[in-house]
Amino acid sequence: MKKKTGCFFHGLCIFELMKRITIKDLARLLDMSPSTISRALSDHPDISDSTKKRVIQLAKELNYTKNIHARFFRKQNSGLVALILPEINMFFTPSLIQEINKTFTSTNYSLITFLSDDSYEREKEIIHQCLSWAVEGVLLSLSKETSNLNHLLPLTEAKIKCVLLDKSLESNNYPSVLIDSENASFKAVNYLIKKGHRNILGIFGNPTLNISRKRLNGYKKALQENNIPILKQNIIFLEEITNLDFILPSVLNQHQNITAIFTMSDELLAKSLFHLNQLKYSIPKDISIISISDGMYPYLVYPQVTHILDSGSKMGEIASKLLLESIIYNKKKQDYSIVVSTKLVELDSVLKLK
């Protein structure tokens, strides 16, 4: 008798092992029906514990994974939710992602995260990918290049829920979760003014972003309400944060009467502190500083920085629960936004002027 060639494992040849293992493969190997296998994998009460154990053991040995597309066509849901971010930095986004993931791991949904690299075209590609993967919901923080929401229409047409968060545009078609950026910067600058500061440098991110413009509005509003002139030379906009390397030292050298700095984010705060230390400024003796922050970085530097607390974890929790409710209860009216509250945290970086 001719000896068989080829490697076999549980009755499968090596060529079969190279392909994706299906429920039908498991059914054939265990001499069970595909429906029994499916119910055993879903922990159905009608299936005995011994049968479940046999099915799960073999599934693990053969690295069986559920077919998302098959599940979608069978149940009309994929169990997938997408999070699309422009970038991931060391500030705000880690706590945002952690809280969103925490919310979905407590449900039957799985979270997949995409980065748009702050590109509108990449954002559009990801939306298309979400459609092909049949995700049930999308959490989206817009790229700096995104000026309208037309690319989200395919999600609406496919009845895929979408919630905007953090970096957003005003819309009556999609719910959004964000902080009151204008009020947050107003509170920060007004605090400096109450401490006696009148010549305040404001450092803002990319001017194309709605969040940057709103935080500038809050800065200006605080000055106007206190009858302080708005000086063009006291406003810095940064398309790229690296531009601060040459702009900040130049501004401080030319305008030495500046007594305080407001930065609109932790990232800009960290960069500003680096240059202030490099230029031998003593904080708050020589210059005061305040920022909008997620509340972690201000405690990691000396002196600790007074800030307006903007919690990434709180925003992540609210946005993910809002999306879940939209998916589960199929809410049709979504023209609303939720504003996450902020508060002043007084630490050691602001000097009260006489």
Side-chain angles (χ1 to χ4, degrees):
M1 182 178 176
K2 189 175 180 180
K3 188 177 180 180
K4 291 184 179 179
T5 60
C7 177
F8 288 81
F9 181 69
H10 282 289
L12 289 178
C13 72
I14 192 168
F15 301 108
E16 289 179 294
L17 285 169
M18 290 172 67
K19 72 176 186 177
R20 184 189 185 106
I21 299 299
T22 67
I23 283 181
K24 288 183 179 179
D25 293 324
L26 296 177
R28 176 163 56 86
L29 292 168
L30 293 172
D31 194 24
M32 299 178 185
S33 68
S35 62
T36 299
I37 299 294
S38 179
R39 285 183 292 168
L41 292 171
S42 300
D43 196 25
H44 197 283
D46 289 348
I47 306 300
S48 68
D49 290 340
S50 60
T51 299
K52 290 177 185 176
K53 185 175 180 181
R54 288 179 61 203
V55 171
I56 292 171
Q57 182 179 347
L58 181 59
K60 286 182 177 178
E61 289 177 2
L62 299 181
N63 294 319
Y64 166 80
T65 56
K66 292 183 179 180
N67 187 322
I68 292 173
H69 293 286
R71 174 182 170 179
F72 173 72
F73 286 116
R74 184 173 64 254
K75 296 184 177 181
Q76 290 298 295
N77 68 77
S78 64
L80 294 177
V81 172
L83 170 63
I84 307 173
L85 298 172
E87 62 176 353
I88 295 179
N89 56 40
M90 64 182 290
F91 310 108
F92 190 79
T93 49
S95 59
L96 177 80
I97 296 170
Q98 185 176 25
E99 196 61 40
I100 291 172
N101 188 62
K102 179 181 175 181
T103 299
F104 286 110
T105 52
S106 64
T107 68
N108 292 322
Y109 291 91
S110 298
L111 181 70
I112 48 177
T113 304
F114 298 92
L115 297 181
S116 67
D117 297 323
D118 256 328
S119 163
Y120 174 66
E121 289 303 319
R122 175 61 184 146
E123 197 169 275
K124 284 173 62 178
E125 291 173 5
I126 294 171
I127 294 298
H128 179 74
Q129 196 168 351
C130 288
L131 288 166
S132 64
W133 284 19
V135 303
E136 294 183 59
V138 174
L139 290 169
L140 172 61
S141 180
L142 299 175
S143 78
K144 64 184 180 184
E145 295 179 357
T146 304
S147 59
N148 62 70
L149 302 177
N150 293 338
H151 61 309
L152 303 185
L153 289 176
L155 293 178
T156 304
E157 292 169 356
K159 297 183 179 180
I160 296 173
K161 307 299 182 182
C162 181
V163 172
L164 304 178
L165 70 159
D166 191 29
K167 295 173 182 175
S168 176
L169 292 173
E170 293 182 7
S171 170
N172 290 327
N173 298 316
Y174 305 97
S176 60
V177 180
L178 40 96
I179 75 161
D180 188 340
S181 289
E182 183 173 320
N183 182 255
S185 57
F186 173 85
K187 284 194 287 190
V189 178
N190 195 56
Y191 173 80
L192 291 175
I193 295 170
K194 298 306 178 187
K195 291 291 185 178
H197 298 274
R198 295 180 63 84
N199 207 324
I200 301 167
L201 179 65
I203 303 178
F204 303 89
N206 195 297
T208 62
L209 290 175
N210 196 38
I211 190 172
S212 298
R213 294 193 296 269
K214 286 188 174 182
R215 292 186 180 185
L216 173 64
N217 290 341
Y219 166 92
K220 289 181 175 180
K221 182 180 178 183
L223 296 177
Q224 289 170 337
E225 289 195 3
N226 289 279
N227 299 313
I228 298 173
I230 299 169
L231 304 177
K232 186 177 180 181
Q233 65 266 26
N234 280 3
I235 297 173
I236 297 175
F237 269 119
L238 299 166
E239 291 189 9
E240 300 292 338
I241 192 171
T242 52
N243 293 343
L244 196 62
D245 293 342
F246 60 87
I247 294 177
L248 183 57
S250 175
V251 170
L252 291 175
N253 285 332
Q254 292 179 34
H255 308 285
Q256 296 183 6
N257 56 345
I258 290 172
T259 63
I261 295 175
F262 162 70
T263 63
M264 67 165 266
S265 68
D266 276 316
E267 194 172 14
L268 294 174
L269 170 64
K271 197 72 168 174
S272 298
L273 288 176
F274 171 81
H275 288 294
L276 291 174
N277 289 326
Q278 191 177 50
L279 295 168
K280 308 299 182 183
Y281 277 83
S282 175
I283 300 170
K285 181 181 177 181
D286 298 329
I287 197 164
S288 295
I289 192 164
I290 192 171
S291 183
I292 297 175
S293 169
D294 72 355
M296 294 185 65
Y297 183 73
Y299 291 96
L300 302 177
V301 293
Y302 180 82
Q304 294 178 333
V305 178
T306 296
H307 58 279
I308 304 299
L309 181 60
D310 166 23
S311 173
S313 60
K314 190 174 182 180
M315 179 175 287
E317 178 186 9
I318 293 172
S320 53
K321 287 182 178 179
L322 176 60
L323 183 62
L324 268 176
E325 288 175 2
S326 297
I327 295 170
I328 295 171
Y329 300 112
N330 195 29
K331 291 182 178 179
K332 294 182 178 180
K333 187 173 178 58
Q334 295 185 320
D335 55 341
Y336 55 90
S337 63
I338 296 176
V339 178
V340 181
S341 61
T342 61
K343 68 176 182 178
L344 172 69
V345 180
E346 290 189 79
L347 296 173
D348 307 315
S349 65
V350 177
L351 181 68
K352 183 175 182 179
L353 299 183
K354 295 181 180 178

